[in-house]
Amino acid sequence: MDSDPAGGRGGPEADAFRGSEPAGGGPRRVLVVDDEPGAADLAATHVERLVDGVETVTRTAPADALAVVRDQRVDCVVSDYNMPGSDGLELLEEVRSIDPGLPFVLFTGRGSEEIASEAISAGVTDYLQKGGGRDRYEMLANSVENALNRRRAERDLREVNAKVTAIHEFATEVSGAESAAAVFERVVDAAEAILSFDRCVAARRRGDRLVPEARSANVGEDEVRTFDLGEGVVGTTVAEERTIVVDNLGADDGRGGGADAPAEPNAPAGAAELADPVADDIRSAISVPIGGYGAFQAASDGYAAFDDGDVEFAELLAAHAADALEQIETENALRTERDRLSALFEDLPLPVVRTTAAEGGERRLDAANEAFEETFGFSDTDHGYREIHDAIVPESDDLVGADAVLEGDEPIRREVRRRTTDGLRDFILNVIPVDRSDETVVYNVYADIGEQKRVERTLRRLHETTREMFRGGDREEIAALAARAAVDILEFPSSGVRLYDPDTETLLPTAISREATAALGERPAFGPGDGRIWEAFETDEPVVVDDLDAVETAVGYGEHRSLLVVPLGDHGVMPLGSREPEFFDDTAVQLARVLGANVTVALDHAQRTAQLRDRDAALKREVARLEKFAGLVSHDLRNPLNVAMGRLELARATVADDDALDELDRIADAHDRMEELIDDLLALARQGRTVDDLEAVSLAEAAARAWRTVDTADATLDPPEKSLAVDADPERLRTLLENLFKNSVEHGTDSTADAGGVTVSVDALPDGFAVADDGVGFEIDPDEATEYGRSSDPTGTGFGLAIVREIAAAHGWSVDVVDGDGARFEFRTDG
């Protein structure tokens, strides 16, 4: 536990830690803020004992706490509400200005409807009241742990989404590379930028040799060399086109080879056997094939430096690079064999159409290959150039003019959209001019990029659906949105969401798509041991079954042959199915995981919102009970008080002794004070209720009415301008002014001064109004003047200014008490 205000890291370099997990898996830091040192230390001690992997820092002043947030890494803040100089919600606002996503738990000894409502509106992560029992600190520790876990989950989701988006941007960029060398360079750049690998090499296959093509800046020439195909990790990666991971060089370790498995005939070599590092400090490595074109390798001097996520994203990079190399290879082949294109025309697997010049500057269809006819549904024998052009080219398309190609005598490459037999699809169109002895013909070659575009559009729609989930209501609505998104956006045949019910300890079929119901029928709840769905929930890992008919299952899956189950954290799972075997490929699994991660965060948000609403409703009920109790108590007290006052008057008529009459006068004074206390108690309970209906009230008129109802002696009112108005409840505003005027008249003079010298003024502020007097000021701390029972007059109830504070809070106003030349109360009404 750190309670030293000067302790920890400081300086601008500490910004690198903001919003991140501690390096090396160290403890997460919780800042505890409480102006009472003992309370801060007690809360910190419980948090450290009850939450694994945390360390606490305590501060007793908001200013010191802000310095910690600004200069050090903080993963969660636990703050008291009532502190000198700044309350907990003001500290929240300042903390969020530094780190908008930092969890903030309000742990206060002062619970009220106003504080709870204000905390929820301000975006507090959780709101807890202090208590004397251990269970309160257990609740605090649980709240802190949940906040830290949500922060980590949200960060992981942002990282996954950012990586997925960046990889698809890489795919778009690398598809435009003009050479294989550029592709290998971009693979290394992307691995450094997206995956944070800092020691990377991309090797290109040249015949039966693997030659380093690109490397990181901090990989020297003496750290790389050429390998034979099948030699070492790199050579084996390309020869067998499989990923190899070395966790601990020099041990019988490695994923992708199985060095620690029993030897089998013709079994592939293990990673440790294959490892042939050049640098002495390499301890772990990952080697991924780039199709049959080469390999990408990343190394580290640490043990087991690459996890399954690194492998998955590295394979995605390599797959996109292989597609780009295949595309470049195809395009190079087209350019290299340009003069022989006619001979290869019919055998080319890509759609190709050849045109020549016609009369009047028009083009004439010369030939179309079989792939063109299959893709677009038109042939050169049955259809003309203009007919095909008008049928497949959308009206909004930016045309590639043949004249521009002929004038430049260079191929043109452009992304286009065309109408096909399957609907609109995206292509890379290569327009290639070829000179003949008598004329120049133009080849239009179409390379389909529909899948790439489909993934991009899918990701955009998933982000839109996620925003809709956050705007949605309860868990059932989110589950329904997720189930439809899986079918409508990801185009999975059937989907569902099962949410966990802690009461029955089962996964309930919360939202099952109509497609799934048709294939499966009505589904029961699933519990422990009920097949792959429960397995995914229990392990928190996706489960993929390529063919349900080929495996034994604990429960039936109807007509489904393929199954993908994505976990949703502690909330449940998302089962997805298809009647086709091997339906869910790597892209489908990745997209489903992105959707599942977004659904999990949305469910976390809905759960947190519901908890805060429940607390708010409970506080409102408690306030109503307290107000009812105050009314009953005041009623029960008034009856015997009235009887006592009546008996006192009867006693006066029967007593003639002056001393006895003096004692009876003192009893009457006590009765008057008791009645005043009862009135103030009721006012305090009722004036604090939130004001729902506001209207524009003239402050000058309200002040005049209030002045007439107060015994002002010889005091003077300096009213505001008649044009000044404030949105308020008229009756409660008048009560506020009455109490302030009464306070100025009763407390604005000392025993030697003339009350007639007191002037009370009501002034306008840029964001509200102020009430002030020119009296002697406060005899107590101004910050304590509005507390219950605080009064400089021994005969006062101490409720008058407390009622002022409650009325202001009910309107959502803030109050500042200033002790200068007299007493001044400033009300900020702009919220």
Side-chain angles (χ1 to χ4, degrees), residues 30 37 40 285 298 345 354 368 457 535 685 794:
V30 178
F345 187 75
R354 185 174 65 215
R457 290 192 292 269
E535 176 187 338

Side-chain angles (χ1 to χ4, degrees), residues 76-312:
C76 181
V77 176
V78 176
S79 174
D80 190 14
Y81 175 80
N82 196 18
M83 295 179 290
S86 175
D87 63 33
L89 295 184
E90 291 171 343
L91 176 60
L92 167 65
E93 181 178 359
E94 294 177 335
V95 164
R96 289 284 169 80
S97 70
I98 299 172
D99 186 350
L102 184 61
F104 193 104
V105 178
L106 196 62
F107 187 52
T108 176
R110 292 187 53 214
S112 70
E113 176 188 3
E114 292 76 25
I115 295 176
S117 177
E118 195 173 356
I120 294 170
S121 300
V124 71
T125 305
D126 208 344
Y127 172 86
L128 299 173
Q129 286 187 246
K130 295 179 182 177
R134 174 181 172 85
D135 60 331
R136 282 294 172 183
Y137 290 97
E138 291 177 348
M139 291 174 64
L140 173 63
N142 185 58
S143 178
V144 169
E145 185 173 25
N146 288 339
L148 290 171
N149 291 340
R150 282 196 300 272
R151 182 168 170 85
R152 174 182 289 168
E154 292 168 356
R155 183 213 63 203
D156 291 344
L157 174 60
R158 287 194 300 270
E159 290 181 357
V160 169
N161 284 342
K163 286 182 179 179
V164 170
T165 302
I167 287 174
H168 282 288
E169 290 175 354
F170 160 82
T172 302
E173 178 189 2
V174 81
S175 66
E178 297 180 356
S179 66
V183 172
F184 285 102
E185 287 284 351
R186 291 179 185 179
V187 168
V188 171
D189 292 342
E192 293 174 340
I194 302 173
L195 306 184
S196 300
F197 296 168
D198 59 355
R199 300 179 68 183
C200 307
V201 177
R204 183 176 181 182
R205 180 175 179 176
R206 296 184 182 276
D208 290 333
R209 302 281 287 171
L210 290 164
V211 180
E213 186 75 38
R215 54 189 169 84
S216 296
N218 59 353
V219 176
E221 290 185 5
D222 58 342
E223 294 185 69
V224 296
R225 69 177 178 86
T226 299
F227 284 81
D228 290 330
L229 188 65
E231 177 190 3
V233 172
V234 176
T236 304
T237 296
V238 178
E240 299 179 5
E241 291 193 22
R242 67 183 176 97
T243 298
I244 298 176
V245 181
V246 182
D247 284 338
N248 188 356
L249 190 64
D252 57 344
D253 171 74
R255 289 172 277 148
D260 53 350
E264 296 180 4
N266 301 319
E273 297 175 37
L274 300 171
D276 187 10
V278 176
D280 293 334
D281 62 341
I282 293 178
R283 294 294 176 268
S284 57
I286 177 175
S287 187
V288 182
I290 304 177
Y293 302 99
F296 164 78
Q297 189 172 55
S300 172
D301 58 359
Y303 295 105
F306 304 96
D307 58 23
D308 292 340
D310 293 330
V311 173
E312 184 175 359

Side-chain angles (χ1 to χ4, degrees), residues 776-819:
V776 297
F778 292 96
E779 296 180 8
I780 60 175
D781 186 343
D783 292 334
E784 299 179 2
T786 58
E787 297 295 329
Y788 305 133
R790 295 289 292 163
S791 177
S792 60
D793 184 354
T795 64
T797 65
F799 285 146
L801 294 183
I803 294 173
V804 169
R805 185 195 62 196
E806 293 296 327
I807 295 175
H811 285 83
W813 304 339
S814 63
V815 184
D816 291 325
V817 184
V818 181
D819 184 14

Side-chain angles (χ1 to χ4, degrees), residues 440-452:
T440 299
V441 299
V442 176
Y443 288 89
N444 293 271
V445 184
Y446 291 90
D448 193 347
I449 57 169
E451 179 63 17
Q452 175 184 324

Side-chain angles (χ1 to χ4, degrees), residues 553-623:
T553 58
V555 297
Y557 292 96
E559 300 176 8
H560 280 164
R561 291 286 301 277
S562 298
L563 177 68
L564 167 60
V565 188
V566 180
L568 305 177
D570 295 335
H571 301 288
V573 295
M574 175 180 288
L576 309 162
S578 171
R579 290 181 170 90
E580 300 177 19
E582 300 182 357
F583 178 84
F584 299 102
D585 58 16
D586 292 342
T587 300
V589 173
Q590 185 62 34
L591 290 172
R593 293 183 69 174
V594 171
L595 174 60
N598 290 343
V599 173
T600 302
V601 173
L603 289 170
D604 286 340
H605 178 266
Q607 185 180 56
R608 185 165 63 254
T609 301
Q611 290 171 346
L612 290 175
R613 285 175 178 167
D614 290 344
R615 288 195 181 97
D616 187 34
L619 286 173
K620 288 181 178 178
R621 291 193 297 271
E622 182 66 19
V623 169

Side-chain angles (χ1 to χ4, degrees), residues 31-74:
L31 171 62
V32 181
V33 189
D34 197 311
D35 61 320
E36 174 56 46
D41 290 341
L42 181 61
T45 299
H46 278 87
V47 169
E48 284 193 351
R49 288 179 178 175
L50 297 174
V51 182
D52 294 333
V54 302
E55 66 177 14
T56 58
V57 180
T58 62
R59 294 294 184 268
T60 57
D64 293 339
L66 279 175
V68 174
V69 175
R70 186 179 299 108
D71 299 334
Q72 303 181 34
R73 179 182 56 75
V74 175

